[in-house]
Amino acid sequence: MTSSALSAPRLRSVTRRIEPVEDPLSYASPDDPTVWSRRGDMLVGWGRAAELPAGASAVAWWRAVSEVAEVDDKVRMPGSGLVAFGALPFDPAHSSSRATLTVPKMVIGRRGDTSWVTHVFTDGEPERPEPQSIPFGPHWSAIVGPGACTPDGYQTEVRAGLAAIASGEVAKVVLARDLVGSVPAGSDLRRLVRALASAYPDTWTFAVDGAIGASPETLVTVSGGTVTARVLAGTAARGADADADTAASVALATSAKDLDEHRYAVQSVLTSLRAHTTALVAEPEPFMLKLPNVWHLATDVEGTLSGHASALGLVEVLHPTAAVAGTPTSAALEVIRRVEPFDRGRYAGPVGWIDANGDGEWAIVLRCAQFDVHGDGDIALTAHAGAGIVAGSDPETEMLETRVKFRPIVDALA
């Protein structure tokens, strides 16, 4: 579908400050929450004023929507005004999952001490009452077990990846395994969002069209012409005590295998962004990012936007990075398609929000589960975790790394 063929809805958004909201999450839908949160800042969407038509380009559709929208924003903070929330599949050409980009009818926002509400109206729609919080439903727990790829099967996957590296097909490939399960019908999925946000406050906690997780990896942020990204590649489990934890971080910081894996990921981001930025810089050496369950090698990247690219446009340029696919990217995708026994869906794809100015925050769908929020009965779920495979990778060690990466979502589901 071409941009000229898009029929953009004419939207009017009105954003006003409100009294501080103690718990924005209580305004989200219990069975299909839309949430974006980090360090206490939160955006919560409710309802659907407009959504991306099937088969349409997300970039072109959002540009068309923004061009004809009337935006009345008295708050002017990141996430205020007209906003759409999106989640995109990892491998659009080979996935049954489709891209979603939705403009809620209402967004409750909170940044620091400022709270606001944005109402979005279609042509002729009357004013609506102020939002009301929804009481949380009872606690629940999930049933989770092996998926299409068992732990032993994952080691076979890794050996296949190592064979592709040895043959020169790729230098790095990221391979994943899955868990499947369900939660009881009628479960209040906001409880999972709350558990993840509480346990992992420094991550991007998200809930978009059934994809719920706590991602440590910023794909790209655009704000007032500044572009930032955080690259994570190279992982070690936290130690059981202070001495073991220090030893784990030192081992990761000095691991030639993990440093090589990280270097590939940083270079893929820099290469993708150079054509769209000026003054692009990255730290010369990675730093150690400490999360409750793991250490990561991390590098922050920053530049100045050149031209008219939006956050969503840069998402399309960047994805997939070497951190979630491999190097070279096209060859790594072919290995993933050949070796993994499942469709990743939105796992390792982009998730985030964009406003009418093209600014936004986007992360990678990690430490997550995808829920079938559109089905009947018990709610089916699929979770994924992966590891970067390079020359020298050990199949059992990589399998144990995926076990550590499953912990955030598995613990929260329990």
Side-chain angles (χ1 to χ4, degrees), residues 247-266:
S249 69
V250 170
L252 178 61
T254 56
S255 164
K257 175 260 180 190
D258 288 289
L259 289 168
D260 281 347
E261 179 188 344
H262 188 80
R263 197 172 299 113
Y264 289 131
V266 172

Side-chain angles (χ1 to χ4, degrees), residues 48-70:
R48 294 172 183 262
E51 54 189 321
L52 180 71
S57 158
V59 172
W61 181 76
W62 184 244
R63 185 186 302 119
V65 170
S66 300
E67 285 175 351
V68 299
E70 178 186 339

